Every structure is written in C-alpha cells, then in structure tokens.
C-alpha cells in the first residue's frame, strides 16, 4: 500500500506543477507518467528507481511546460509573454540570457522600424535628421538608405532572436532528459519535431 501512496503523492505533486498548462495537456501528461510508473512496477522495476529516474515533480513539469511553450505559435502575445517568463525563471543564467537576447532582438527590430519610418518621413518633407556619421543623406535617397539600414538592423534582430530560441531549446533539453523514454518519442511525434 505504501508504494501506491508514494506513486499517488508523486502524481499529485506533478499535477500541482503542471498548472500553467491547459487542463487537457495536464491530464495527458499525468496519464502518461502514471502509466509509465505502473508499467515499470508491473515489470519488476522498483518504484523508487523509477521516481528517481524521472526527477522531482517540479523538474519534470518544467520539461513538459517548456516543450508546450516551444510548440506554441509565438504570434499570440499571451503565449509569448508566458514563454518569456517561464524561460527567464528556468535557471541560474536564464534571467540574464533571456533579458539580454530578447531585449537586444527587440531593440534592433524597433530600430529597423524607426529607421524605415524616418526615411519615409524625410522623403515627404519632414524635418527628420538622417545622417551617416557626419554625412547628411540627400532627401531623395533617404528611402533607399532607410531600406538598407532597416534590412541590416532587421537581420541583426533575427540573429539575436535565433540565439534566444537556441537558449530556450538548451534550457528545455536540460529538463527533457528527465522524460521517460516512451514520452520523449510520443512528445516528438505529437509536436512534429
């Protein structure tokens, strides 16, 4: 009876840590882990060893939450914000890496948009200073120069965004190693990785 209580306690704690996920995702994960544990015990593996291989419920939940956020469309602002908060709090270096990479990417993207707007405003006669060093760009060339600089700034923003995504993947891999091997396969197929 003690083993069943220990299993139920683990599942209960896992459910608690899975709260950021939609209820259907939570239930699918709980069913998967519970099945993995029951099958392992049924085939003679000690429950303690199975639980140890999964890690703490909070660490295991972080792996599943990270996978969920990585599989979601970044176009939805609420998901993007939750993703940023999750990965910012997911490790010792994550706050610095996430804020630096995300902030740098956003700053370059904003700069690209502002340069393009400034170039267009200047073409239509607005008194917008448009200089490259000490050289003032002629009004008629402003859109062309704006396009070139916006492109370069946009590419830089995409570079830092790619580094941010790579950081998210690295954090996720750290937690994913706790998944039962059958769930790694199922997750990979479910999310089309």
């Amino acid at each position: 009876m003690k083993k069943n209580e220990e299993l139920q306690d683990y599942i209960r704690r896992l459910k608690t840590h899975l709260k950021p996920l939609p209820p259907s995702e939570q239930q699918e994960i709980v069913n998967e882990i519970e099945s993995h544990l029951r099958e392992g015990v049924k085939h003679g593996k000690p429950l303690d060893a199975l639980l140890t291989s999964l890690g703490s419920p909070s660490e295991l939940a972080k792996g599943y939450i990270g996978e969920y956020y990585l599989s979601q469309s970044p176009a939805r602002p609420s998901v993007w914000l939750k993703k940023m908060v999750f990965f910012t709090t997911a490790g010792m270096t994550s706050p610095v890496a996430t804020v630096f990479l995300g902030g740098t990417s956003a700053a370059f993207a904003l700069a690209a948009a502002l340069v393009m707007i400034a170039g267009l405003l200047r073409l239509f006669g607005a008194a917008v200073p448009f200089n490259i060093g000490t050289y003032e760009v002629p009004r008629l060339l402003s859109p062309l120069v704006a396009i070139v600089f916006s492109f370069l700034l946009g590419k830089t923003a995409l570079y830092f965004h790619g580094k941010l995504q790579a950081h998210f993947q690295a954090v996720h891999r750290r937690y994913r190693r706790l998944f039962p091997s059958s769930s790694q396969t199922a997750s990979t197929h479910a999310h089309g990785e």
Side-chain angles (χ1 to χ4, degrees), residues 36-54:
H36 170 76
L37 292 171
R38 290 191 189 284
E39 283 296 313
V41 169
K42 182 179 168 183
H43 292 355
K45 293 182 182 174
L47 180 61
D48 293 346
L50 290 166
L51 293 176
T52 299
S53 72
L54 291 176

Side-chain angles (χ1 to χ4, degrees), residues 33-130:
I33 296 300
E34 193 167 17
S35 173
H36 170 76
L37 292 171
R38 290 191 189 284
E39 283 296 313
V41 169
K42 182 179 168 183
H43 292 355
K45 293 182 182 174
L47 180 61
D48 293 346
L50 290 166
L51 293 176
T52 299
S53 72
L54 291 176
S56 73
S58 67
E59 296 292 303
L60 182 59
K62 284 179 184 177
Y64 282 105
I65 294 167
E67 184 162 296
Y68 174 77
Y69 286 139
L70 288 174
S71 72
Q72 297 302 299
S73 168
R76 293 179 33 211
S78 64
V79 171
W80 182 84
L81 183 59
K82 289 176 184 177
K83 180 179 181 177
M84 290 298 287
V85 169
F86 172 77
F87 283 106
T88 299
T89 61
M92 293 283 259
T93 60
S94 282
V96 173
T98 303
V99 169
F100 173 75
L101 294 171
T104 304
S105 176
F108 276 103
L110 178 63
L114 292 176
V115 165
M116 183 58 77
I117 291 168
L120 291 174
L121 287 174
R122 188 149 190 275
L123 176 66
F124 293 113
V128 176
F130 208 73

Side-chain angles (χ1 to χ4, degrees), residues 104-158:
T104 304
S105 176
F108 276 103
L110 178 63
L114 292 176
V115 165
M116 183 58 77
I117 291 168
L120 291 174
L121 287 174
R122 188 149 190 275
L123 176 66
F124 293 113
V128 176
F130 208 73
N131 300 337
I132 300 174
T134 58
Y135 174 73
E136 184 175 343
V137 176
R139 189 171 64 88
L140 292 176
L141 289 178
S142 295
L144 178 62
V145 172
I147 289 170
V148 170
F149 277 95
S150 290
F151 175 79
L152 294 173
L153 291 167
K155 289 295 275 182
T156 305
L158 287 174

